Amino acid sequence: MTDAPIQDPVARAAQILKGHRESIDRLDAILVFTLAERFKHTQAVGVLKAQNDLPPSDPAREEKQIARLQDLATQADLDPEFAAKFLNFIIQEVIHHHEQHQS
């Protein structure tokens, strides 16, 4: 028996959908591990800031990072406003962690 192409449109769509979902699952794993690595570094930054009496947030850097990410999003054909919201969420979580190190 050979791997003949699937003729039934519903079965073919299910096969294509399965492939897309497998790719999405792999990308989700990459996102989680990437965020974990990012937070390891931001935790170290928070400790460093606390040890040196530096403020937990850096609005000028945050603004530059958001603009940078929006530019990257545009290049990647991703909605830059979504990218900004995503980074803002991450930044707020990082600031929260930094504030915990301050106390």
Side-chain angles (χ1 to χ4, degrees):
M1 191 180 226
T2 62
D3 288 333
I6 299 174
Q7 298 300 319
D8 175 31
V10 173
R12 181 162 162 40
Q15 182 183 38
I16 293 168
L17 182 61
K18 181 178 182 260
H20 285 304
R21 286 180 172 163
E22 288 170 352
S23 291
I24 290 167
D25 291 349
R26 285 189 300 273
L27 291 166
D28 286 345
I30 290 168
L31 283 171
V32 168
F33 281 96
T34 301
L35 283 171
E37 185 66 20
R38 187 184 195 286
F39 276 101
K40 287 176 190 171
H41 289 283
T42 60
Q43 288 287 351
V45 167
V47 170
L48 183 66
K49 285 181 173 185
Q51 290 171 341
N52 292 280
D53 294 321
L54 297 170
S57 69
D58 182 346
R61 175 168 165 73
E62 293 158 19
E63 188 176 316
K64 283 176 57 176
Q65 286 299 96
I66 290 169
R68 180 179 156 271
L69 194 69
Q70 286 180 307
D71 184 51
L72 289 171
T74 300
Q75 293 174 38
D77 199 26
L78 178 68
D79 178 5
E81 289 305 310
F82 168 77
K85 288 178 189 176
F86 182 71
L87 186 60
N88 269 317
F89 172 77
I90 292 171
I91 288 170
Q92 292 311 308
E93 188 65 21
V94 168
I95 291 170
H96 175 71
H97 291 168
H98 289 185
E99 288 170 343
Q100 288 178 328
H101 289 295
Q102 300 280 328
S103 31

